[in-house]
Amino acid sequence: MSQPATRAEQTPTVRMLEAAARQALHAPSVFNTQPWRWRITADTLELRADPDRQLATTDPDGRLLTLSCGAALHHARVFLAAAGWAVTVERWPDPADPALLARLRATGPAHLDVAAARLVDAIPRRRTDRRAYGDRPVPEPVLARLRAAVEAEGAHLHIVRPDQMPMLAVSTGRAADAELADPAYREELRRWTDRPAGSGDGVPTATAVRPGPRRVPLRDYAPGGAAGLTAGADFDRGAAYLILFGEQDEPAAWLRGGEALSALLLTATAEGLASAPLSDAIEVAWPRRMMRDLLAGIGDPYLVVRVGWGPDDDLPPAPRRTPAAVIETTG
């Protein structure tokens, strides 16, 4: 007769929770700010926003910060699911503590989640590839799987139609021009592209891509400087542009939107696609209204994501903060 499982067998070790938080270090974030912190206590993993890493000029409402934290939350969730643990998630568990975004609690062993394992395998391989993508279009069945991944996380995905591309391109370009005309934005951009040695964050100019002809312009991370990468010989002809959106424009929805963003990017990576989030048109009020018009008023846009078939050579990983700087273990 088999013995009943002990409590130690029914709950993950602190080491397992730390491993989940370490996986979350790979999550994408605006300007690679990595604006989150983790706290581990027994069988609980708490996610907190780090307000010191909020972009005061680019992201005054904290929309992109919260989306970034949601992506980290999803990374931790899928790691635990792939490791065979059932987890409950309380989002915004303490109204008196708005920086506490989520509390994950392991409830016991579960069957291995094969879909989660596929996403976990994609975590270290995912890159934000700002280079140009090729002419081959993204197949409709793949786009359907990307949409399903987003909807499973409680958000929605709009695939920008060919007739909508001019509005997307103009909105993104004008948003970029408006931001570059703002000295406060330029200083914020400089601060996050010229980081102290060993900081493990930001977007080094060595990984920035030089401007070139694109269907939709990309943020220039090295204005007036020497970006380290060229766009390549392609022009994004086969790229698909996806608007991640939700039914509300408020923090609880942004957090779920960030989880959906992670699911989208990891699924794209698992499908062999390159991807790059584009937030310029969301950062400025009137282009964001134009993005809402592209959605025919059915939701609020959180982010644009470009997916497609990228260059064959791999990109180096982006800088990452050390676990000691992000993860606190109290027992």
Side-chain angles (χ1 to χ4, degrees), residues 14-51:
V14 167
R15 181 172 296 180
M16 180 64 71
L17 295 175
E18 287 179 343
R22 285 171 178 261
Q23 287 293 307
L25 292 174
H26 294 283
S29 57
V30 59
F31 283 24
N32 194 26
T33 50
Q34 303 166 56
W36 52 70
R37 296 186 63 84
W38 293 98
R39 182 172 181 266
I40 301 170
T41 304
D43 62 349
T44 300
L45 184 59
E46 291 185 344
L47 171 65
R48 289 181 171 276
D50 187 343

Side-chain angles (χ1 to χ4, degrees), residues 7 22 38 40 82 86 90 95 108 121 123 131 139-140 143 151 176 185 213 216 218 239 253 270 284 289 295 325:
R7 177 173 175 78
R22 285 171 178 261
W38 293 98
I40 301 170
E90 296 177 83
D121 182 64
I123 286 176
R131 297 172 299 177
E140 290 295 331
L143 292 174
E151 291 177 348
Y185 168 82
V216 176
L218 268 67
V284 181
R289 288 194 295 270
L295 300 175

Side-chain angles (χ1 to χ4, degrees), residues 164-319:
Q164 296 177 321
M165 287 300 299
M167 182 181 289
L168 175 62
V170 169
S171 300
T172 302
R174 290 189 176 178
D177 290 344
E179 289 186 315
L180 284 172
D182 182 354
Y185 168 82
R186 294 199 303 272
E187 172 55 26
E188 194 164 70
L189 181 67
R190 184 208 61 77
R191 184 156 55 90
W192 286 99
T193 54
D194 184 19
R195 302 295 290 159
S199 65
D201 55 19
V203 182
T205 54
T207 67
V209 175
R210 297 168 202 164
R214 299 292 188 94
R215 294 174 68 197
V216 176
L218 268 67
R219 190 192 307 274
D220 186 357
Y221 282 96
L229 299 173
T230 62
D234 292 314
F235 299 98
D236 291 330
R237 289 193 186 95
Y241 292 83
L242 317 174
I243 301 178
L244 177 69
F245 70 98
E247 297 174 5
Q248 297 175 316
D249 192 26
E250 47 89 21
W254 301 339
L255 188 66
R256 296 303 297 259
E259 293 174 81
L261 172 64
S262 169
L264 167 62
L265 296 177
L266 294 180
T267 302
T269 300
E271 295 282 353
L273 294 171
S275 61
L278 313 175
S279 59
D280 311 54
I282 308 300
E283 295 161 6
V284 181
W286 61 267
R288 189 164 63 249
R289 288 194 295 270
M290 294 180 73
M291 293 299 97
R292 192 176 294 115
D293 290 343
L294 281 181
L295 300 175
I298 63 172
D300 287 286
Y302 300 153
L303 209 63
V304 179
V305 178
R306 178 181 61 121
V307 298
W309 306 104
D312 292 334
D313 54 319
D314 292 332
L315 287 172

Side-chain angles (χ1 to χ4, degrees), residues 17-163:
L17 295 175
E18 287 179 343
R22 285 171 178 261
Q23 287 293 307
L25 292 174
H26 294 283
S29 57
V30 59
F31 283 24
N32 194 26
T33 50
Q34 303 166 56
W36 52 70
R37 296 186 63 84
W38 293 98
R39 182 172 181 266
I40 301 170
T41 304
D43 62 349
T44 300
L45 184 59
E46 291 185 344
L47 171 65
R48 289 181 171 276
D50 187 343
D52 291 339
R53 290 177 167 268
Q54 181 173 346
L55 303 175
T57 299
T58 307
D59 184 33
D61 298 326
R63 180 185 291 101
L64 298 175
L65 177 147
T66 309
L67 284 166
S68 301
C69 290
L73 173 59
H74 182 264
H75 273 46
R77 283 176 45 215
V78 297
F79 175 83
L80 291 170
W85 293 103
V87 176
T88 61
V89 182
E90 296 177 83
R91 296 172 180 83
W92 306 95
D94 186 353
D97 187 0
L100 178 58
L101 303 184
R103 182 180 291 129
L104 291 79
R105 191 180 305 277
T107 57
H111 293 296
L112 178 66
D113 189 326
V114 176
R118 183 170 181 252
L119 297 187
V120 168
D121 182 64
I123 286 176
R125 296 188 289 110
R126 185 206 62 81
R127 302 283 188 270
T128 296
D129 194 340
R130 302 180 184 91
R131 297 172 299 177
Y133 302 162
D135 294 349
R136 181 159 58 114
V138 181
E140 290 295 331
V142 174
L143 292 174
R145 289 193 287 273
L146 296 180
R147 177 182 280 120
V150 165
E151 291 177 348
E153 297 299 328
H156 304 282
L157 198 66
H158 172 72
I159 301 170
V160 178
R161 302 188 309 267
D163 64 290

